[in-house]
């Protein structure tokens, strides 16, 4: 893959994160589940562990999807819907 395509993709991802990431983060941390610092650390460390495990098995995994899954799981746990 040409380097200019990778660079263009990186610029696009950075621009999207810089312009809209605060909205996504606010929605995930306030509307889906209340995330305090200890839950945020747990979600991040679990997401990283999941991505490392999936990568070691040869599976594709993204940290954003893993973190979102952790936040949803934390919200379900908070509401008592998951034991």
């Amino acid at each position: 893959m040409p380097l200019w395509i990778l660079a263009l993709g990186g610029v696009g991802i950075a621009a999207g994160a810089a312009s809209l990431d605060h909205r996504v983060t606010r929605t995930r941390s306030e509307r889906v589940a209340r995330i305090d610092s200890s839950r945020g650390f747990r979600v991040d460390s679990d997401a990283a562990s999941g991505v490392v495990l999936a990568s070691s098995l040869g599976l594709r995994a993204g940290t954003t999807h893993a973190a979102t899954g952790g936040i949803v799981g934390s919200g379900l746990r908070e509401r008592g819907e998951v034991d």
Side-chain angles (χ1 to χ4, degrees), residues 18-79:
S19 63
L20 296 173
D21 193 47
H22 66 281
R23 286 182 164 180
V24 173
T25 302
R26 186 178 326 128
T27 299
R28 288 191 317 190
S29 64
E30 292 177 359
R31 295 183 183 167
V32 176
R34 293 175 194 240
I35 304 296
D36 57 6
S37 59
S38 64
R39 280 190 181 163
F41 178 78
R42 187 173 59 229
V43 166
D44 284 343
S45 62
D46 289 347
S49 299
V51 170
V52 168
L53 177 64
S55 297
S56 69
L57 296 173
L59 302 171
R60 293 183 180 186
T63 55
T64 302
H65 292 98
T68 301
I71 291 169
V72 169
S74 179
L76 291 173
R77 174 81 176 166
E78 180 180 314
R79 291 181 176 93

